Amino acid sequence: MTKYVIHGGKPLFGEIDISGAKNAAVAIIPAALLVDGSCRIENIPQISDVTLILNILQELGADVRTVNRTTVDVDCSHIRNARVPEELARKIRASYYLIGALLGRFGSAQVPPPGGCDFGGRPIDQHIKGFLAMGAEVDVRGGFIHARAEKGRMQGTHVYLDIVSVGATMNIMLAAVLAEGMTVIENAAKEPHIVDLANFLNSMGADIMGAGTDVIKIRGVERLSGGTYSIIPDQIEAGTYMAAVAAAGGEVLVKNVIPKHLECITAKLLEMGVTVEERDDAVLVRRDGKLTRTNVKTLPYPGFPTDMQPQIAAVLCLAEGTSVLTEGVWDNRYRYVDEFRRMGAQIQVDGKIAVIEGVDHLTGARIQACDLRAGAAMVIAGLAAQGVTEIGCIHHIERGYEDIVRKLSGVGADIRVVVTPDEEKQSQVG
Ligand code: EPZ
């Protein structure tokens, strides 16, 4: 087993550079399927989810060339295959973007149901509602979602989303870019990565208006052509390091961010007594005094992001008084709570509400990451805790955080990757 070993209790000082946004990259890379020509995509984060989605495109026949550490050229012009390989697609939630992108490109798609973190049910009925409204037939058989545009090309239409869904908004956008006529998505999600996907597609020749509001209009065009695009910085990665400073104390300049995207996180940290100063493309985070309790409810953007819920819980565990945390997006995103309790946290969960009684300090323990953001929250708890914390199942964390150990070591954290002898033996055996 590979694990992180953290000797906690050390405040963090220095600078951290934020990578490109995971949830933008995993939509923009499949969007290259719609482009007739080569797309140079810059500021790509080096994380396993991105590697997976690039591998899927390669298996479909795309020409993927690494230009440098953060830039790839993706050319999907020669792909003729609309059936996505099963084993890779099942490992990643974002494989559902291949349905919209392949429907847009070929008028047909065969994609296995998506994988990803387990937060209870993760339906895709709103994605399918959109595809059906645009004239596709969709059915599930033989372990694949089969979708086919009845007229050979998707048809523009009005789609009202019953739930604000990031995935459905982006997937319908992908299916609509090359459709015949105008598609209007109402009650659309407004996350920064939705705007980023629209900007990417527009820079390649699409006609998308209103991304970032709850009504997005997409006028279908005949063709997209290649170009260069740079992905936005990762809002959640930045928020995670901001929360780490809040929990462990110290002063860190979090660089290469869009401060506007962080306002929902900044507001809560300020309420808790953390200092956050906005710069042009950085935020300075400082915590030297006590943390104050607060309440947090997760909501679609511009509300407090659900993808920051476990990390803010780690901070609230150390705040004086009782805080109430309400999960407003997912049914079951508190699976990490038992692991926090092993570290001395006092948390009671009832459905979507967690009541957190702040403690003076957490203590190191052996714990297991159960999903991506929960794993990041355990790192934060470990950094703040007294003693040694060992975190297993770190593959969850590496799905979404580039170089987390190097970045945290660079600001003074004592965190190491340790491979236990068992794993060494296994890898020797092959
Ligand atoms: C995206 O998931 C992100 N993943 C998630 O981040 C994030 O938690 C989520 O958006 C919300 O911000 C990616 O971008 C790859 P949704 P997505 O559709 O698109 C319900 C992370 O840690 N719903 O906005 O799958 C759903 O059950 C990951 O980086 C339906 O009922 O989320 C949920 O309650 C984890 N029917 C709510 O809507 C649908 O058809 C929001 O889901 C779709 C969603």
Side-chain angles (χ1 to χ4, degrees), residues 25-300:
V26 296
I28 285 174
I29 295 167
L33 273 164
L34 297 163
V35 179
D36 197 4
S38 179
C39 307
R40 174 156 294 187
I41 311 174
E42 300 172 340
N43 205 28
I44 294 222
Q46 282 203 317
I47 51 176
S48 59
D49 267 14
V50 161
T51 307
L52 264 172
I53 210 98
L54 285 168
N55 287 346
I56 293 174
L57 284 193
Q58 272 178 311
E59 293 253 331
L60 284 171
D63 185 7
V64 176
R65 283 167 209 241
T66 304
V67 178
N68 60 42
R69 209 175 59 80
T70 57
T71 306
V72 289
D73 285 343
V74 182
D75 189 344
C76 297
S77 318
H78 304 296
I79 293 184
R80 297 286 172 264
N81 178 10
R83 187 179 169 94
V84 171
E86 193 168 0
E87 206 178 308
L88 292 177
R90 281 190 187 280
K91 291 186 182 159
I92 178 171
R93 181 77 187 156
S95 57
Y96 54 37
Y97 292 130
L98 295 160
I99 311 175
L102 288 168
L103 269 177
R105 163 84 184 267
F106 296 114
S108 78
Q110 292 171 44
V111 181
C117 295
D118 177 7
F119 312 135
R122 294 189 71 175
I124 57 164
D125 57 296
Q126 297 301 305
H127 306 228
I128 291 171
K129 173 181 172 173
F131 301 147
L132 293 174
M134 296 175 74
E137 284 175 339
V138 182
D139 65 317
V140 183
R141 68 194 130 84
F144 275 74
I145 299 166
H146 294 251
R148 196 176 64 81
E150 282 178 86
K151 293 190 177 168
R153 184 177 175 189
M154 299 298 274
Q155 304 294 308
T157 188
H158 275 247
V159 182
Y160 176 84
L161 295 179
D162 302 321
I163 290 178
V164 179
S165 159
V166 171
T169 303
M170 301 226 258
N171 225 344
I172 295 167
M173 221 162 102
L174 290 168
V177 163
L178 296 177
E180 200 169 327
M182 170 88 95
T183 302
V184 180
I185 309 174
E186 291 179 74
N187 199 24
K190 296 181 276 205
E191 269 66 4
H193 29 293
I194 288 171
V195 180
D196 209 33
L197 174 63
N199 287 344
F200 166 80
L201 290 166
N202 282 345
S203 75
M204 306 285 152
D207 187 354
I208 303 173
M209 294 152 287
T213 75
D214 53 12
V215 181
I216 302 178
K217 295 182 178 166
I218 307 130
R219 198 186 305 278
V221 296
E222 291 303 318
R223 123 175 227 281
L224 302 184
S225 43
T228 299
Y229 189 79
S230 183
I231 290 175
I232 52 166
D234 197 308
Q235 173 206 25
I236 304 299
E237 189 199 13
T240 300
Y241 291 121
M242 292 166 78
V245 181
E251 181 175 303
V252 171
L253 188 67
V254 181
K255 289 167 42 181
N256 181 36
V257 299
I258 299 174
K260 174 89 192 144
H261 293 168
L262 301 173
E263 279 173 359
C264 35
I265 300 163
T266 300
K268 284 294 149 186
L269 292 177
L270 291 174
E271 278 178 30
M272 297 175 74
V274 179
T275 304
V276 183
E277 289 171 17
E278 285 186 10
R279 307 277 160 85
D280 284 347
D281 60 356
V283 286
L284 181 75
V285 186
R286 182 169 59 247
R287 205 273 287 168
D288 39 27
K290 291 229 180 256
L291 290 163
T292 319
R293 62 152 300 279
T294 191
N295 297 335
V296 178
K297 177 167 185 178
T298 71
L299 288 167

Side-chain angles (χ1 to χ4, degrees), residues 314-380:
V315 187
L316 292 173
C317 283
L318 295 161
E320 259 179 340
T322 307
S323 304
V324 179
L325 183 54
T326 308
E327 173 55 46
V329 177
W330 297 107
D331 288 339
N332 183 7
R333 205 169 188 173
Y334 288 122
R335 293 196 310 136
Y336 61 88
V337 162
D338 282 345
E339 304 299 282
F340 273 22
R341 287 196 188 117
R342 287 174 196 268
M343 302 178 75
Q346 294 201 7
I347 310 180
Q348 299 302 324
V349 177
D350 184 4
K352 293 188 162 192
I353 294 178
V355 177
I356 302 176
E357 202 70 55
V359 294
D360 179 61
H361 63 272
L362 297 172
T363 43
R366 280 193 185 165
I367 51 179
Q368 301 288 328
C370 50
D371 64 57
L372 167 60
R373 306 303 173 187
M378 289 174 200
V379 171
I380 293 173

